[in-house]
Amino acid sequence: MTEQALVEPAPAGEIIGSRIPKHDGAQYVTGRVTYVDDVTLPGMTHVALVRSSLPHARVLGVSTVAAATLPGVVAVVTAADLLGIAGPVPHTSDPAAVGGRHVEIPVLAGDRVGYVGQPIAAVVAETVADARAAAAAVVVDYDPLPFALDIDEALADSAPRLIPGGEGNVLVSGGFSDGDLEAAERAADHVLTGEVRLHRAGAAPLETRGYVADWDDREQRLTVYATVQNPHPFRGAMATALGLPEHRIRVIAPHLGGSFGHKTHGYPEEVLVCALARKLRRPVKWIEDRAESLLIGGREMRGRFRVSCTADGRVLGLGAEIDANLGAPAGAPGWPMTLMAALTLPGGYDVPNCAVGWRAVVTNKAPWNGTRGYGKEVACLLTEHAMDLVAETTGIDPGQVRRRNWVRPEDFPRATPSGVNLDSGNYPGLLDLLDAHVDLAALRAEQQRARERGALVGLGLAFEVVPELVDLPGTLLSAQDTATVSMDPAGHVSVLTGVTSPGGGNDTGIAQIVAAELGVPISAVSVIQGDTDRCPYGFGNVSSRSTVSGGGAAALAARDVAAKLRAVAAAMLHAGADEIVLRDGLARPAGRADASVPITEVAHAVYTLGLILAAGIEPSLEATRSYRPGNIRHTPDARGNIQPYATYSNALHLSHVEVDAETGVITLHRHVTVHDCGTVINPMLVEGQVHGAVVMGLGCALGEQAGYAADGTPVGTGFKTYLLPRSTDVCELEVLHQQTPTPFTLHGG
């Protein structure tokens, strides 16, 4: 992979902005990290699930007699056995909060199932093999019911009712409008219509989900090792489901082998494993297999639009309807992706007249969880298809159509028709950088020559604006977070943070931020994450929040510690505290090279000579601070809109592809991304995220599909039928950086 940093490199000695490798990367690639499946406890049992084989049916009976007598079986549990032990699965984000319908999600299905794969019974045994063998012996008696797999089937008058206690299969819907779309269409030279579709895909992390729960009867306390992005909110959900006080639960999230939204909470299995451990008074473990992992879907959306424009390519109006095939209702935060798709429109384009509607529709496919892209991908696909239609109709270059309609750099911050407030950006600058790097005119001439030879060569240009750092009122989805920074007498720094890392390296970024504030090498900083007993309350990893919110909190705490170091160093060096600079492991007065003291000695002096050198400071080097970025508004505006996202990174992509007319094989010759996430803490981490996002997008477009047979059975059950991109499928990825700092965060990122 190649990258080109089109920003000023970090000065010598600077940590922020430097290409520092992931601090524990070697542990990952050599297999020395601990995952949940590596956790083994004395007396541990294992769970296998009996899942529905039909997409919609009444459950007439579940026979567990044969299974219960098999070797190694500890217990066979159905919904009736969980009464009074485990309540419904708590919603991460209940659609009722925005006017939708509340649905209680059972841990195990009772009298009805709504998708193939829904858990009906659980077998607990001494080994995984024993549990699976006994699960195969459980017999379920069904009465099949009509089912619906696609949006139009579910919306039809004759569709089966899939949401208990109500009419219709729309779980939640909404919309917004601004301006006068009809007037815009009357004034336009062209009114164009189109439709885009995203098929169902999943997050497909390398490590699947898993939970190990251990109940301590003497302490009356539950410890859960969980593949979870947000341990503290997960703890609250388990407390609610199990009827336990939150302080009676400890959640430990070891290293995660990827997540991409798959490991946000809201699943039946997490509640089940905890309930079984408490019921049986033995440790219980469940690890998701690949077929179970691929049940969890996302992205299956349809967007229909009308775009009106002038003959010179100026867009006057955009109307859109977005429908999502959610599958069955779930406690996981899948449905908000539909809302997010609507809120993202019209992206970074200055469109004065907009009307957008959205619907989240329930079907008999397996449920959604949040999936990387989180609805913004369909919004991007829709707007970019609309811009290409405008370019094709008017005969104007696609890049120039986009340039003509972008929000101008001088107009930031800029409220969009949906009410969100774009923080900063230089969208034309992205195209300028791309032009300088690629020579688009030459590429288009080459494309034309190839087409004249009969080759099917395409150049695709796409722009994205990505709202991040969500903060929703009344939920545990927040942009704020907390960190504790402490330095011991030997000068080693520990950072306890409420954010977690799914493996992308935000802990390295946080370590860089703290090292820069304290003037110590990054090797002197340890970052501790993912333990509700050790770390301050935080909101984990979701919505690209960790380095901004976790790093912001850690920076503020580190500044408090640094102030103590400066006070003591000033006394040691006979200088003023405001003169002291902490850098390169030394404390020294600014502008003086003749006087300095190692920060390690200053730290030791705080603990041992504090009353002599600085009697007024607290006798420890520890501070806890919280941080919430700006640009968030929970009070509705005049149109009823809130502003739930703090930052809006953006990028421009160019793909150069060729299709073999005989075989249909698509070859990606080149892919260039010009990316702007504001201030870059570590270019290597940003590029890693961009590489992963590009490859995931390529996979979704060219191979990954969680398909269903006509009988409602999933067909993408493994990596031979759900086709992830391989290294040979991807060309060398080129990443260019533009930095347009946001005014609303501590570091501008």
Side-chain angles (χ1 to χ4, degrees):
M1 307 296 180
T2 62
E3 289 78 33
Q4 180 174 341
L6 297 176
V7 294
E8 289 296 319
E14 288 290 345
I15 296 177
I16 300 296
S18 294
R19 292 178 170 274
I20 295 176
K22 192 173 182 298
H23 73 99
D24 57 353
Q27 290 178 273
Y28 275 95
V29 298
T30 57
R32 289 184 285 122
V33 299
T34 298
Y35 297 102
V36 166
D37 197 21
D38 296 318
V39 175
T40 301
L41 302 177
M44 189 168 69
T45 60
H46 300 266
V47 176
L49 293 170
V50 179
R51 296 182 178 271
S52 172
S53 59
L54 295 179
H56 194 204
R58 293 185 185 89
V59 177
L60 302 179
V62 181
S63 176
T64 63
V65 176
T69 62
L70 291 177
V73 172
V74 176
V76 183
V77 176
T78 65
D81 300 308
L82 296 180
L83 293 175
I85 298 175
V89 180
H91 286 265
T92 301
S93 183
D94 195 330
V98 293
R101 295 156 71 175
H102 173 80
V103 179
E104 287 203 348
I105 311 301
V107 177
L108 295 174
D111 60 357
R112 185 180 296 251
V113 291
Y115 61 94
V116 172
Q118 183 171 359
I120 297 174
V123 175
V124 186
E126 301 292 350
T127 69
V128 174
D130 287 343
R132 289 176 178 171
V138 174
V139 178
V140 182
D141 186 15
Y142 299 103
D143 177 19
L145 295 171
F147 58 91
L149 296 179
D150 67 31
I151 292 170
D152 291 329
E153 286 178 341
L155 293 175
D157 292 339
S158 59
R161 297 297 181 248
L162 304 178
I163 303 175
E167 293 296 316
N169 293 320
V170 176
L171 183 70
V172 58
S173 63
F176 66 85
S177 63
D178 189 43
D180 189 334
L181 190 60
E182 291 183 0
E185 293 184 353
R186 288 194 298 270
D189 296 308
H190 305 285
V191 178
L192 311 169
T193 61
E195 178 176 305
V196 296
R197 288 177 179 263
L198 279 178
H199 52 250
R200 183 182 176 101
L206 186 63
E207 178 203 26
T208 59
R209 289 183 298 131
Y211 312 101
V212 178
D214 185 20
W215 174 257
D216 186 324
D217 212 25
R218 182 164 57 180
E219 296 288 335
Q220 293 289 290
R221 198 158 193 257
L222 182 71
T223 298
V224 190
Y225 300 85
T227 53
V228 64
Q229 297 170 230
N230 36 10
H232 282 98
F234 175 93
R235 181 184 68 180
M238 294 308 98
T240 298
L242 301 174
L244 284 171
E246 237 182 287
H247 69 277
R248 294 288 183 191
I249 302 175
R250 179 185 184 185
V251 178
I252 301 171
H255 294 86
L256 294 183
S259 179
F260 318 113
H262 189 74
K263 293 168 185 172
T264 51
H265 63 87
Y267 292 103
E269 295 90 350
E270 61 202 23
V271 178
L272 175 67
V273 170
C274 294
L276 290 174
R278 189 180 180 199
K279 175 182 173 66
L280 299 174
R281 304 302 199 257
R282 289 183 63 178
V284 176
K285 182 178 191 176
W286 175 78
I287 301 296
E288 183 180 58
D289 67 27
R290 185 56 63 185
E292 291 170 319
S293 178
L294 289 172
L295 275 175
I296 310 304
R299 296 202 183 100
E300 188 171 357
M301 294 196 208
R302 175 182 69 198
R304 292 170 171 164
F305 66 88
R306 291 170 62 88
V307 59
S308 52
C309 67
T310 61
D312 63 355
R314 182 72 176 94
V315 173
L316 302 179
L318 177 69
E321 294 289 337
I322 295 174
D323 293 321
N325 184 338
L326 285 186
W335 70 265
M337 288 193 281
T338 326
L339 169 60
M340 192 63 246
L343 286 179
T344 302
L345 294 171
Y349 295 107
D350 179 15
V351 181
N353 304 286
C354 277
V356 179
W358 60 276
R359 293 181 294 186
V361 180
V362 170
T363 68
N364 291 113
K365 292 183 177 179
W368 279 13
N369 198 345
T371 306
R372 187 179 191 176
Y374 208 73
K376 302 158 224 177
E377 61 274 67
V378 75
C380 175
L381 186 62
L382 188 152
T383 55
E384 295 311 284
H385 186 40
M387 291 298 163
D388 282 343
L389 278 179
V390 170
E392 182 181 0
T393 301
T394 60
I396 300 171
D397 177 82
Q400 296 312 309
V401 166
R402 288 166 171 82
R403 188 187 293 276
R404 194 158 297 174
N405 289 286
W406 274 324
V407 174
R408 298 176 301 178
E410 61 268 26
D411 290 339
F412 289 99
R414 174 64 177 269
T416 73
S418 67
V420 303
N421 194 47
L422 302 177
D423 56 344
S424 64
N426 179 7
Y427 307 153
L430 300 174
L431 185 57
D432 293 339
L433 293 177
L434 183 65
D435 270 328
H437 180 73
V438 173
D439 190 350
L440 284 171
L443 255 187
R444 293 203 182 280
E446 178 186 329
Q447 176 194 25
Q448 184 59 36
R449 291 192 296 270
R451 286 185 169 181
E452 289 170 358
R453 298 193 305 268
L456 301 179
V457 175
L459 288 175
L461 194 66
F463 168 69
E464 60 174 335
V465 168
V466 187
E468 297 293 4
L469 271 81
V470 68
D471 196 309
L472 292 175
T475 75
L476 293 180
L477 297 170
S478 175
Q480 73 182 48
D481 223 284
T482 303
T484 298
V485 174
S486 62
M487 180 181 282
D488 66 22
H492 186 80
V493 181
S494 295
V495 183
L496 295 162
T497 175
V499 302
T500 59
S501 172
N506 66 56
D507 44 347
T508 299
I510 292 170
Q512 287 178 253
I513 289 169
V514 170
E517 294 287 347
L518 296 176
V520 300
I522 192 172
S523 59
V525 181
S526 299
V527 178
I528 296 98
Q529 300 174 295
D531 188 331
T532 58
D533 272 13
R534 300 178 67 190
C535 299
Y537 194 99
F539 298 91
N541 176 268
V542 65
S543 192
S544 299
R545 63 186 303 281
S546 298
T547 303
V548 177
S549 297
L556 294 178
R559 289 175 187 179
D560 290 347
V561 172
K564 296 183 182 182
L565 292 173
R566 289 191 181 95
V568 171
M572 298 171 76
L573 295 167
H574 306 290
D578 58 349
E579 298 178 68
I580 299 297
V581 175
L582 305 175
R583 186 184 175 96
D584 299 329
L586 298 173
R588 70 172 77 233
R592 290 178 56 188
D594 61 331
S596 66
V597 61
I599 291 173
T600 53
E601 293 185 18
V602 180
H604 193 265
V606 171
Y607 287 95
T608 61
L609 299 171
L611 285 173
I612 297 172
L613 296 174
I617 69 168
E618 293 181 356
S620 70
L621 290 173
E622 181 170 303
T624 299
R625 293 290 298 274
S626 295
Y627 173 71
R628 170 182 259 145
N631 199 31
I632 295 167
R633 189 192 72 253
H634 286 171
T635 303
D637 62 16
R639 290 174 293 161
N641 298 320
I642 65 171
Q643 156 52 9
Y645 282 86
T647 65
Y648 298 81
S649 63
N650 50 86
L652 188 64
H653 298 261
L654 175 74
S655 278
H656 179 196
V657 301
E658 183 172 351
V659 181
D660 187 303
E662 293 186 1
T663 66
V665 171
I666 298 173
T667 301
L668 179 67
H669 291 303
R670 193 174 186 185
H671 189 97
V672 183
T673 303
V674 189
H675 190 264
D676 189 342
C677 63
T679 302
V680 175
I681 301 297
N682 184 331
M684 292 181 71
L685 301 182
V686 174
E687 288 151 10
Q689 291 295 305
V690 173
H691 290 160
V694 169
V695 172
M696 182 172 276
L698 292 170
C700 188
L702 302 179
E704 297 182 47
Q705 183 170 7
Y708 274 72
D711 65 355
T713 303
V715 296
T717 56
F719 288 150
K720 288 187 177 181
T721 49
Y722 185 92
L723 303 179
L724 290 173
R726 300 161 298 181
S727 60
T728 53
D729 298 323
V730 181
C731 66
E732 185 176 35
L733 301 178
E734 302 164 67
V735 180
L736 296 81
H737 296 278
Q738 174 178 277
Q739 292 192 66
T740 311
T742 174
F744 297 111
T745 70
L746 195 64
H747 295 99

